[in-house]
Amino acid sequence: MQILKVVNRNLVKHKHLCHQKLKNVTSMLHYSTSKDAELAIAPGYQPKQVEESYWAREKLSKDEPKKTCSRGNYRMLLPPPNVTGNLHLGHALNATIQDVIARQHRQLGYNVEWIPGTDHAGIATQVVVERTLAATKGVTRQEIGRAAFLDEVWKWKAEKGAGIIQDLEQLGCTLKWEREYFTMDKQQSHAVNVAFERLFEEGLIERRNSLVNWSCTLRSAISDIEVENMDIKEPTELSVPGYEHKVLFGRIFDFAYRIVDQDQPDGTQEEIVVSTTRPETILGDVAVAVHPADPRYTKYRNRDEVRLQHPFRSDTIPLVFDIAVDKEFGTGAVKITPAHDKFDFEVATRHKLDLRQVFSESGNIVADYPEFQGKSRFEARDLIIERLEEMELLREVRAHQMQLPICSRSKDIIEYMLVPQWFLNTKSMAKAALSELHSGRLQIMPNNHETEWERWLSDTRDWCISRQLWWGHQVPAYQAFDSKGNSCWVAALDENSAHEKAATILGSQELKLTRDPDVLDTWFSSSLLPFSVAGWPKEEYKEKYPLDIMQTGHDILFFWVARMMMMGLKLTGEAPFRRVLLNGIVCDAQGRKMSKSLGNIVAPQQVVQGANLESLKAALQKSCTAGIIKPSELKTSTDGMIKMFPKGIQECGTDALRFTLLSHNIKNHFINFDVDACYTNKLFLNKIWQAMRFTLGSAKNLGITLHEFETMEGVTLSMWDRWIIGRLAETLSICSESYTNYNFHMATAALKHFFYQNLCDVYLETTKESINRKNNSAYVNVATLTACLSWGLQAMAPFTPFVASELLQHVPLNLELKLSQFQDAKLEAEVADIVNICTTVRQVKSRNQISKRHGPKLCLFAQNAEAEEILRRHLSQIAVLTRCQGVDLELLNEDSKFLKKLNFFSTAGALCSFGISLNDDIALPEAKREEMVKENKKKLKKLLNEMQKYRLRIDNEAFQLMADNATKVHFQNRIKELQAEIDSLMTLAA
């Protein structure tokens, strides 16, 4: 860590204790401030006023000349929030992490290029705008047409996009706003079309029929990330879009397939019973499959081809043997419907079976099955069950646990459908992305995600990149037909280029061109962002590419991060980043995922500004009216919100929100956010505010200003002055290391401990008497406080920029102090012992409700002469920190003149035991003394148990052989300390 120096000019001027000048040392922390005017400070920390003041200063500073950055550029990209609403806490966490990284690198001298933007979010935005149109105008997108609907979406984007930008600014994010992008702006659209064209020309993109996740409500394919699997443990009725009544799931049906020309001895037809959870797909069955080693069906292996009569078609289907069949599922025989099931599709491919479509794009039975034509799939399910029963083919219906795939956007039940789609072959790109990790060129943090990266990229499949939507990048592909009926597909940036390409392929100029109406998957455009926002495909993109770090949530490691890596390597020849930092998912205080049904979704602004219960309800109602949540979800969301926040949410301010978010280990899989903890951190910030007020008031009392301080070199510091500066040095060291390792929670914990416990609760309290008396040490105390506030707040500034900026106006910022000379382990241990003694005394006082009016007097019984010497050095601080009216000290012995006068007694570590006596006129109830004796017995038992554990370890032969000397010495010292405290307690109790 760099050596930091503090200078206190006041002591040169007033006390002649310092050298005239010290060599300046460049600090890694830099701020600008005015030393000319003494600024007023409010009585307490008010977040709103502090933030308004910050933005006013920021506005003025924009006109100031920019300082030259000596370390070069540092590039980051903000994961673009969807334009479907305001920021949620997940966005706030992500943005705060990156802002802390950005601010810290500016302090180190980098020119930080942190690029903001928003994502068009194809499906999510289209769904929300459709709901809004239905709620506000009573129309569908089909009724108003594609052009008018897209106009409505662009209006939505203009309104919501502006709200997102405002939220990011209010969060304090220091983004490069002049480079802001939208994933469907002109530059991004051009990059998307060029990327598609190049990949198509190389043969990596092709159009084919394949099985995809299909939403009948959206009438579109959707990605795996938009599919949620619901566990159904028993028969359960669920609401399904488009159905008036709930649909029952969680059942399995056994029905018979009769074998053709195979009668049994009794004259009945031989049959095979199959099990299915989806009887509505029977119409598309093309085979029945069994495991070749299943003893129930091995008799059929020696026969000629076994054919089964289809119950709803005139044709027959084969019995096939396949080792992929699960013998334990149902009867061991499964129906094969390849057009609507992934497993069945693979079986059908292996056995060269036909594919039969059952449902239309809207989820209704197609014309091939006249008996059920036009019926919705779940309506057809009930009819098919009835008909099977009539045909005496239904054998059993029973409860069955299952996973139900649900579209996260529409809440529809996913149908697997064979639909013409565009697919990108990613095998070669995935191999290249894997090599980045294997070679060590790519670092993923935390590294446990490296296994997932390898697993996913090792088994990557073709990526379905088309969507049947209106909102998004229209596929830049054209189908061309010549006069003879020949056709081909070409990819091109415009129709003229498409015509030229198609003419070359088909050998004709007389062509009819039709552009594919589908749009590209949102993840396709997002995968280009590291280089498309830099200007790709223009050559100048290389000046702003690659990124230095990619930071985002672990839940999109594959859907976005891996795809950015693949596309970057493929289209630019260079990895888009070398370092990936992944954060966890934000949950509520109970560890539950935030959802509408629980009513536990909290917006960052509700935490920052505070919100009463009525405003929380109103926000939910507004979201419902806007189409963001459904009317059916409104009541459950409201009920959950009332349960979570019966008294609303108290105002916390932006700094407290940021500090709380980064008080968690961001690398954990889940991050439990507690609004109450956030409010506690607001109080913590007020504690620092009050420390600054005390320091400013103390300086005024001494007739000086804090900006006069320049050097403390040569100043005689007390042990406590040296101790607090040592604690500052340790804190700054932890902060520096935590920035490097992205363990921000360690920095926030260190800062909170330093400011709260070390500076405010301990050191500041020990300075009050000296400052009030204006004695010689008062100037040193104020200088020390100033140094701690200056450097401590600068270390906190990346986390809490608003309050840090406000308070740093009051202190000099280029103080210099050789902190390394104050890191004294022996002194730190000594003061820690004293503080622990004071804490124990206060606990006894608090437990027994001993207040100032009782006139408590403290007597310390030193364990030995060495302990007595140590305690004597700190008697004045002990008196202050224990809030006792006097402190006596003597060696512990049974003939002590104080022992008989004690009302309360206990031990406080290895140095001493202590007793508290009250005024003579205070009558102490006998029950109090009995309670004290009981507490001491509990403490003695605990000490003896701990002693036994240490002795067992140190007497263990394996421990003696394997433990290093430092560990052995630690154990021996701890045994001595425990024995001393046990002896003290037994002496007092005698």
Side-chain angles (χ1 to χ4, degrees):
M1 181 181 173
Q2 292 182 350
I3 295 176
L4 306 176
K5 302 179 179 180
V6 176
V7 188
N8 180 347
R9 185 178 59 194
N10 179 72
L11 293 176
V12 177
K13 179 179 177 183
H14 293 282
K15 297 298 170 184
H16 308 288
L17 295 174
C18 306
H19 298 299
Q20 291 296 317
K21 285 187 176 180
L22 285 175
K23 183 172 67 175
N24 289 331
V25 176
T26 302
S27 166
M28 77 171 191
L29 303 176
H30 175 78
Y31 288 85
S32 61
T33 187
S34 170
K35 298 182 181 180
D36 299 331
E38 213 177 316
L39 301 170
I41 184 168
Y45 168 54
Q46 297 296 329
K48 184 179 179 182
Q49 285 79 354
V50 167
E51 290 166 30
E52 288 174 352
S53 176
Y54 174 90
W55 290 120
R57 288 193 302 277
E58 284 291 299
K59 189 176 181 181
L60 291 173
S61 69
K62 285 182 180 179
D63 299 327
E64 296 177 1
K66 301 298 180 185
K67 297 191 177 180
T68 304
C69 299
S70 60
R71 306 280 297 268
N73 295 322
Y74 189 87
R75 302 186 185 98
M76 297 192 302
L77 176 75
L78 179 74
N82 294 346
V83 286
T84 51
N86 296 329
L87 293 187
H88 54 61
L89 282 175
H91 292 133
L93 171 66
N94 203 251
T96 301
I97 293 169
Q98 292 193 29
D99 189 55
V100 168
I101 295 172
R103 288 175 182 272
Q104 190 263 340
H105 276 81
R106 287 192 194 95
Q107 292 175 349
L108 289 170
Y110 286 94
N111 173 41
V112 178
E113 295 182 356
W114 183 22
I115 313 305
T118 47
D119 197 300
H120 66 280
I123 291 177
T125 303
Q126 179 161 314
V127 167
V128 170
V129 175
E130 283 194 72
R131 287 180 189 166
T132 303
L133 285 173
T136 58
K137 298 182 180 181
V139 295
T140 65
R141 65 181 168 97
Q142 290 83 2
E143 289 171 342
I144 65 173
R146 185 165 187 160
F149 177 74
L150 291 179
D151 284 342
E152 292 292 334
V153 182
W154 278 107
K155 290 176 188 176
W156 172 276
K157 183 266 170 189
E159 178 187 345
K160 293 299 179 183
I164 288 169
I165 300 306
Q166 184 180 14
D167 283 352
L168 287 169
E169 287 180 332
Q170 289 180 349
L171 197 59
C173 296
T174 49
L175 289 146
K176 198 122 182 150
W177 293 109
E178 60 269 28
R179 287 187 59 190
E180 181 190 349
Y181 69 88
F182 175 54
T183 51
M184 279 185 61
D185 61 29
K186 187 176 180 181
Q187 161 59 26
Q188 302 309 310
S189 294
H190 178 63
V192 166
N193 291 339
V194 170
F196 185 95
E197 182 185 42
R198 291 186 183 179
L199 294 168
F200 179 88
E201 298 286 355
E202 197 173 330
L204 293 175
I205 290 179
E206 65 171 351
R207 183 178 172 84
R208 68 171 186 266
N209 269 8
S210 192
L211 208 63
V212 294
N213 303 316
W214 186 264
S215 169
C216 297
T217 299
L218 297 173
R219 299 188 188 183
S220 174
I222 65 171
S223 68
D224 290 340
I225 198 173
E226 288 154 333
V227 177
E228 297 174 348
N229 289 311
M230 177 186 288
D231 288 321
I232 304 291
K233 299 187 183 303
E234 58 186 12
T236 306
E237 289 188 330
L238 299 175
S239 296
V240 179
Y243 291 81
E244 292 183 6
H245 304 290
K246 290 185 176 182
V247 179
L248 183 62
F249 297 94
R251 296 185 298 169
I252 192 168
F253 304 83
D254 292 349
F255 72 97
Y257 262 110
R258 288 175 178 155
I259 300 177
V260 177
D261 300 328
Q262 292 291 335
D263 291 342
Q264 298 184 88
D266 61 359
T268 60
Q269 216 170 346
E270 194 173 353
E271 64 184 31
I272 293 179
V273 176
V274 301
S275 301
T276 180
T277 59
R278 306 196 60 209
E280 66 273 19
T281 63
I282 290 173
L283 302 176
D285 286 357
V286 297
V288 169
V290 296
H291 194 285
D294 192 331
R296 292 169 290 186
Y297 306 108
T298 50
K299 64 182 178 181
Y300 298 116
R301 294 195 66 183
N302 298 323
R303 298 183 187 180
D304 293 335
E305 183 183 31
V306 176
R307 305 291 298 184
L308 310 171
Q309 178 62 54
H310 193 281
F312 300 107
R313 304 198 307 259
S314 59
D315 61 328
T316 61
I317 61 175
L319 176 69
V320 298
F321 298 88
D322 197 290
I323 60 173
V325 175
D326 181 4
K327 292 185 288 185
E328 304 304 318
F329 177 79
T331 62
V334 294
K335 55 192 279 308
I336 303 300
T337 319
H340 298 287
D341 185 273
K342 291 180 179 179
F343 173 83
D344 295 1
F345 182 80
E346 293 172 357
V347 172
T349 302
R350 285 195 291 273
H351 293 275
K352 297 182 173 55
L353 300 171
D354 292 334
L355 309 180
R356 297 189 65 115
Q357 193 85 8
V358 177
F359 309 114
S360 67
E361 292 180 357
S362 58
N364 295 330
I365 305 299
V366 297
D368 294 354
Y369 312 101
E371 184 178 353
F372 307 103
Q373 180 184 352
K375 300 292 184 183
S376 62
R377 52 189 168 149
F378 297 123
E379 183 183 3
R381 170 188 289 185
D382 294 336
L383 294 174
I384 286 170
I385 294 301
E386 289 177 10
R387 290 284 289 115
L388 287 172
E389 197 163 17
E390 290 172 7
M391 291 185 283
E392 298 183 346
L393 294 176
L394 186 66
R395 297 292 176 260
E396 186 180 2
V397 180
R398 60 189 184 278
H400 180 70
Q401 293 186 15
M402 61 186 295
Q403 274 198 335
L404 199 62
I406 295 176
C407 173
S408 64
R409 304 299 182 186
S410 65
K411 302 306 177 187
D412 195 4
I413 308 302
I414 291 296
E415 194 61 65
Y416 299 105
M417 297 272 277
L418 278 171
V419 186
Q421 300 287 335
W422 291 99
F423 289 88
L424 172 60
N425 185 328
T426 59
K427 287 194 181 299
S428 61
M429 291 189 285
K431 187 176 179 181
L434 264 176
S435 71
E436 291 297 302
L437 180 67
H438 293 162
S439 66
R441 292 187 295 269
L442 174 66
Q443 180 187 10
I444 300 176
M445 299 168 288
N447 60 11
N448 59 290
H449 290 289
E450 290 180 358
T451 304
E452 288 298 299
W453 179 272
E454 177 140 12
R455 181 190 62 78
W456 193 77
L457 287 173
S458 297
D459 190 33
T460 186
R461 300 184 180 186
D462 288 356
W463 175 11
C464 176
I465 59 174
S466 50
R467 299 290 180 266
Q468 290 62 56
L469 304 172
W470 287 357
W471 174 242
H473 296 280
Q474 190 172 351
V475 176
Y478 299 79
Q479 188 172 24
F481 294 89
D482 65 12
S483 58
K484 298 178 182 179
N486 299 316
S487 68
C488 69
W489 281 96
V490 294
L493 302 183
D494 55 52
E495 192 167 333
N496 290 336
S497 297
H499 189 279
E500 290 180 13
K501 291 181 178 182
T504 301
I505 295 171
L506 297 175
S508 172
Q509 292 293 326
E510 299 296 321
L511 301 173
K512 180 181 178 182
L513 290 177
T514 304
R515 185 172 181 177
D516 193 321
D518 289 353
V519 300
L520 290 165
D521 179 12
T522 303
W523 296 108
F524 185 87
S525 56
S526 297
S527 69
L528 311 178
L529 286 176
F531 47 96
S532 65
V533 299
W536 186 89
K538 294 180 181 178
E539 279 298 306
E540 54 262 34
Y541 84 90
K542 295 178 181 178
E543 298 173 5
K544 301 172 183 177
Y545 180 85
L547 304 173
D548 287 276
I549 191 170
M550 185 67 245
Q551 192 282 312
T552 189
H554 69 70
D555 54 324
I556 54 174
L557 175 62
F558 314 123
F559 298 101
W560 191 40
V561 181
R563 284 168 175 170
M564 282 190 287
M565 179 59 73
M566 290 192 292
M567 297 292 257
L569 289 167
K570 182 65 185 176
L571 295 172
T572 74
E574 184 177 2
F577 36 77
R578 295 295 183 199
R579 181 173 287 187
V580 176
L581 174 61
L582 302 170
N583 62 264
I585 307 302
V586 179
C587 301
D588 67 13
Q590 285 77 48
R592 302 175 300 175
K593 188 176 179 180
M594 293 190 173
S595 69
K596 300 177 189 118
S597 60
L598 293 173
N600 60 350
I601 298 176
V602 180
Q605 286 306 311
Q606 290 172 328
V607 179
V608 169
Q609 299 170 359
N612 59 37
L613 189 56
E614 291 307 312
S615 69
L616 291 173
K617 291 179 184 177
L620 288 173
Q621 181 61 58
K622 184 179 178 181
S623 294
C624 182
T625 303
I628 296 173
I629 64 174
K630 297 177 183 178
S632 59
E633 297 171 329
L634 181 60
K635 185 178 185 307
T636 54
S637 293
T638 303
D639 290 344
M641 185 69 76
I642 293 170
K643 186 177 180 180
M644 283 281 292
F645 308 108
K647 296 181 180 178
I649 299 172
Q650 297 185 84
E651 178 197 27
C652 297
T654 303
D655 283 322
L657 172 63
R658 291 168 59 107
F659 195 84
T660 305
L661 286 169
L662 294 194
S663 293
H664 299 86
N665 185 347
I666 64 165
K667 299 174 189 175
N668 285 345
H669 209 71
F670 297 105
I671 295 167
N672 299 347
F673 180 81
D674 188 350
V675 174
D676 291 337
C678 196
Y679 184 73
T680 299
N681 281 327
K682 177 194 172 184
L683 301 180
F684 160 62
L685 297 178
N686 183 62
K687 189 87 169 178
I688 301 174
W689 188 279
Q690 297 306 327
M692 181 64 78
R693 284 192 74 221
F694 172 80
T695 305
L696 287 167
S698 299
K700 186 176 181 181
N701 186 44
L702 296 172
I704 58 176
T705 61
L706 301 186
H707 283 297
E708 293 181 61
F709 293 126
E710 290 184 356
T711 181
M712 294 176 70
E713 187 142 325
V715 177
T716 302
L717 299 178
S718 73
M719 291 183 71
W720 289 73
D721 297 325
R722 288 188 283 117
W723 168 75
I724 193 62
I725 294 174
R727 296 304 305 136
L728 171 65
E730 176 68 15
T731 301
L732 294 179
S733 179
I734 292 171
C735 288
S736 178
E737 186 177 349
S738 71
Y739 283 137
T740 303
N741 299 323
Y742 307 104
N743 292 324
F744 302 114
H745 63 294
M746 295 180 71
T748 55
L751 287 164
K752 194 167 185 178
H753 186 79
F754 171 74
F755 274 113
Y756 220 131
Q757 279 82 13
N758 297 155
L759 186 68
C760 295
D761 285 354
V762 178
Y763 178 76
L764 185 147
E765 292 297 323
T766 68
T767 68
K768 288 182 176 179
E769 184 177 355
S770 168
I771 290 171
N772 287 337
R773 293 182 177 180
K774 300 184 183 181
N775 59 26
N776 291 347
S777 61
Y779 295 95
V780 179
N781 293 152
V782 174
T784 304
L785 284 167
T786 302
C788 289
L789 287 167
S790 177
W791 286 112
L793 282 167
Q794 287 182 71
M796 271 192 69
F799 301 106
T800 58
F802 298 100
V803 70
S805 174
E806 184 73 21
L807 294 180
L808 283 168
Q809 296 177 93
H810 300 282
V811 292
L813 301 179
N814 294 317
L815 296 171
E816 295 184 356
L817 175 65
K818 292 181 180 176
L819 288 175
S820 57
Q821 69 185 20
F822 294 102
Q823 290 186 283
D824 184 336
K826 185 177 179 182
L827 172 61
E828 185 175 331
E830 182 172 316
V831 174
D833 284 340
I834 300 301
V835 171
N836 287 336
I837 289 168
C838 296
T839 300
T840 305
V841 172
R842 286 202 306 271
Q843 287 172 347
V844 171
K845 287 176 61 185
S846 174
R847 191 160 54 242
N848 293 284
Q849 298 176 326
I850 302 171
S851 64
K852 188 176 180 180
R853 67 181 180 85
H854 293 106
K857 190 171 182 180
L858 178 65
C859 184
L860 301 176
F861 301 99
Q863 182 65 30
N864 50 46
E866 183 185 357
E868 182 181 22
E869 183 182 348
I870 292 172
L871 293 165
R872 197 168 297 283
R873 289 199 289 261
H874 306 286
L875 288 182
S876 61
Q877 287 83 7
I878 292 172
V880 170
L881 296 176
T882 58
R883 301 182 184 93
C884 288
Q885 292 187 1
V887 182
D888 291 312
L889 172 65
E890 66 173 39
L891 280 170
L892 179 64
N893 62 78
E894 296 179 4
D895 298 326
S896 168
K897 62 180 179 179
F898 294 111
L899 276 179
K900 293 182 180 179
K901 296 181 181 179
L902 298 179
N903 300 112
F904 301 94
F905 58 85
S906 188
T907 55
L911 282 180
C912 69
S913 50
F914 69 90
I916 301 173
S917 61
L918 308 182
N919 289 338
D920 293 338
D921 57 344
I922 299 292
L924 182 68
E926 185 61 30
K928 282 286 184 185
R929 188 168 183 84
E930 290 176 0
E931 185 179 333
M932 178 195 64
V933 172
K934 187 177 179 181
E935 286 292 330
N936 283 331
K937 285 181 178 179
K938 283 172 61 178
K939 179 184 276 191
L940 180 60
K941 184 178 179 180
K942 183 179 178 182
L943 292 170
L944 289 168
N945 286 336
E946 188 177 353
M947 169 74 84
Q948 185 180 16
K949 289 178 183 177
Y950 273 96
R951 286 200 179 282
L952 284 172
R953 287 290 302 278
I954 207 166
D955 292 339
N956 184 276
E957 186 177 347
F959 176 84
Q960 291 297 332
L961 288 171
M962 299 178 67
D964 56 34
N965 286 333
T967 304
K968 291 177 183 177
V969 169
H970 168 73
F971 272 58
Q972 289 164 355
N973 288 339
R974 184 58 186 150
I975 288 172
K976 290 177 183 177
E977 291 170 358
L978 287 168
Q979 189 61 59
E981 191 167 4
I982 289 167
D983 291 344
S984 296
L985 199 56
M986 295 180 74
T987 300
L988 284 172

